[in-house]
Amino acid sequence: MTEKILVVDDEDTLRLTLQARLRLAGFEVEVAADGKEALEKLKQDSFDAVLLDIIMPRMNGIEALDQISRLHAKTEVIMLTGFADFATAIDCLKRGAKDYLVKPIEPNELVTRLKALLRAKASERKLQALQQEYNSIFLHDLHGPLTTIDSTLDHFLEGKSGALSKEQNFLLKYAGELSNKVVKRVKDMIDLSLFEAGVVKLECKPVDVATLAETVCVRYDILARGKELKFRKSIEHNLPQINCDFDKIVQAFDNILDNAIKFTSEEGSITVSVSKAKMDVEKKKVDCIQCSIKDTGEGISPDELPLVFQKYIGQLMKKPREPKSTKLGLVITKYIVEAHGGRIWVESEVGKGTTFSFTLPIAK
């Protein structure tokens, strides 16, 4: 597969020269005149590497690098710098850039360094694939014994091995709750490893998303009332069908709603909305279904918002003294939505609440 490169420089001659030279070397190349234009292109398409000038109008290379490192972590960055920017280039390496080149740029050196960087990236991907395969096997091996433990606890709790004392019943129920938590975490890890390995098979069929959402809401309405929360629905009916894996989309709703219930205090509210909307596909607006879950919970700070869908998020949405943890549900939800050709995003304000929204293409 041809690697895709984005050249970002405000100097027209250099930008076009690098584009021509890299195309001759077999790369697919696009260009941008500044950091803002580069980020717009990265939103619309994926690139294997970005060649990023430092001094540019509107948004300079350092600001753009910070955004790319945070939002497009899989894209490698090589900084382009003049002699006066040498110290800045070193700082950029600390911020996530993988290499830098000093102007004037020698084309052969650029191609050599770029190919070396991409070879290293390919090797890293192979290693990650091996790690994912090992993790998947390990987690499946772990899941079996955990399920057996769960069944054994149920056997005793149902009195099949004789009557239990009150204390024994309490302790076994507690052990069962802990076992269920571990089983759920292992299932999440299995799902995540399969998505990361690209081997998840969706069983897609035409689905009435309004009916799907209503089915999910029945359960969470009960859970919300149990916590004295208001649960509201705004679900349009007679919507076009979506082509989806029913169980996976239910899982996406569950993951978001579980968080909404958990992080919304008593007398707060949760609102589920489903309606027809538009989404960007190959630079065109196409019809889709948009699903949103809004809560009046704690909210997420602006610094934490870009981390919501990352695998390890440490401090995100945790109270003081709460231990660091992995929040896999939202990561899996992102994979589910994107595997269906949709998009997911989050909007939040501290102290006022959070809204998770995702789009799904309409069945053709």
Side-chain angles (χ1 to χ4, degrees):
M1 190 174 83
T2 304
E3 287 103 341
K4 197 166 186 178
I5 313 299
L6 177 62
V7 177
V8 188
D9 198 296
D10 63 328
E11 187 181 333
D12 294 344
T13 301
L14 178 60
R15 188 171 67 245
L16 296 175
T17 299
L18 293 179
Q19 181 183 39
R21 184 64 184 85
L22 290 172
R23 283 178 174 172
L24 284 173
F27 296 105
E28 184 178 345
V29 187
E30 290 195 23
V31 296
D34 56 48
K36 281 195 174 182
E37 186 181 351
L39 291 174
E40 285 300 318
K41 286 183 178 285
L42 283 161
K43 280 183 184 177
Q44 297 168 4
D45 206 348
S46 59
F47 293 85
D48 295 286
V50 176
L51 303 180
L52 186 60
D53 188 24
I54 292 179
I55 300 176
M56 295 181 291
R58 293 209 305 169
M59 179 185 286
N60 64 42
I62 296 173
E63 293 172 311
L65 173 62
D66 287 340
Q67 297 263 19
I68 294 169
S69 297
R70 190 168 72 247
L71 303 175
H72 308 280
K74 293 182 179 180
T75 301
E76 308 288 16
V77 179
I78 296 178
M79 305 304 295
L80 308 179
T81 175
F83 286 108
D85 297 316
F86 186 78
T88 306
I90 299 300
D91 180 55
C92 288
L93 295 179
K94 296 177 182 177
R95 292 170 179 261
K98 290 297 177 67
D99 201 352
Y100 68 90
L101 287 166
V102 178
K103 298 179 182 179
I105 295 168
E106 205 286 307
N108 289 331
E109 182 185 2
L110 169 61
V111 171
T112 300
R113 300 265 282 271
L114 190 53
K115 285 184 175 180
L117 179 63
L118 294 174
R119 277 198 303 272
K121 182 180 179 182
S123 297
E124 184 180 351
R125 280 200 300 262
K126 288 180 182 178
L127 177 59
Q128 288 173 344
L130 288 172
Q131 290 173 331
Q132 287 164 359
E133 183 180 0
Y134 170 80
N135 288 340
S136 181
I137 293 170
F138 171 77
L139 290 167
H140 276 96
D141 288 345
L142 186 62
H143 185 259
L146 285 171
T147 304
T148 302
I149 291 170
D150 213 31
S151 300
T152 303
L153 290 170
D154 286 341
H155 175 88
F156 283 106
L157 286 167
E158 290 167 6
K160 292 179 180 178
S161 292
L164 298 172
S165 69
K166 187 176 180 180
E167 183 179 356
Q168 288 171 331
N169 190 275
F170 174 82
L171 290 173
L172 286 172
K173 280 185 177 179
Y174 179 63
E177 290 173 2
L178 294 178
S179 176
N180 287 334
K181 287 181 180 179
V182 175
V183 169
K184 184 180 185 306
R185 178 58 59 87
V186 170
K187 285 181 178 178
D188 282 346
M189 288 297 295
I190 290 171
D191 281 347
L192 186 59
S193 68
L194 292 174
F195 273 114
E196 288 180 335
V199 295
V200 171
K201 292 183 180 179
L202 299 178
E203 297 181 7
C204 291
K205 298 177 182 178
V207 170
D208 180 348
V209 71
T211 301
L212 183 153
E214 291 280 7
T215 302
V216 172
C217 285
V218 169
R219 183 168 71 259
Y220 283 94
D221 188 10
I222 296 170
L223 292 173
R225 281 190 276 117
K227 196 179 173 182
E228 298 185 14
L229 303 175
K230 295 177 182 177
F231 192 88
R232 302 186 178 100
K233 299 180 295 182
S234 177
I235 301 174
E236 292 182 15
H237 291 271
N238 300 317
L239 289 169
Q241 290 185 322
I242 59 172
N243 199 37
C244 73
D245 184 314
F246 185 95
D247 291 337
K248 287 286 188 286
I249 298 303
V250 168
Q251 184 180 0
F253 270 103
D254 285 346
N255 289 339
I256 298 172
L257 281 164
D258 282 342
N259 268 358
I261 294 282
K262 180 177 180 180
F263 294 107
T264 303
S265 56
E266 291 181 2
E267 299 184 359
S269 66
I270 295 170
T271 304
V272 176
S273 305
V274 180
S275 60
K276 194 172 180 181
K278 297 281 188 181
M279 64 184 287
D280 292 319
V281 177
E282 296 178 352
K283 301 181 182 180
K284 295 180 181 178
K285 296 284 186 182
V286 300
D287 290 331
C288 68
I289 303 299
Q290 180 171 318
C291 307
S292 297
I293 294 94
K294 180 180 181 179
D295 67 56
T296 59
E298 301 170 6
I300 307 169
S301 73
D303 290 340
E304 293 171 332
L305 272 177
L307 307 175
V308 168
F309 299 111
Q310 290 189 17
K311 189 172 180 179
Y312 301 106
I313 55 180
Q315 302 295 320
L316 179 62
M317 294 189 292
K318 81 176 189 70
K319 298 176 182 178
R321 299 182 184 177
E322 182 182 341
K324 292 184 179 181
S325 61
T326 54
K327 309 283 186 180
L328 300 182
L330 295 176
V331 185
I332 293 167
T333 298
K334 184 174 187 290
Y335 274 116
I336 289 171
V337 170
E338 292 180 349
H340 283 83
R343 174 177 166 259
I344 187 168
W345 66 98
V346 58
E347 300 165 288
S348 187
E349 187 174 347
V350 174
K352 293 190 175 180
T354 302
T355 302
F356 284 92
S357 301
F358 61 89
T359 55
L360 296 167
I362 291 172
K364 295 181 180 179

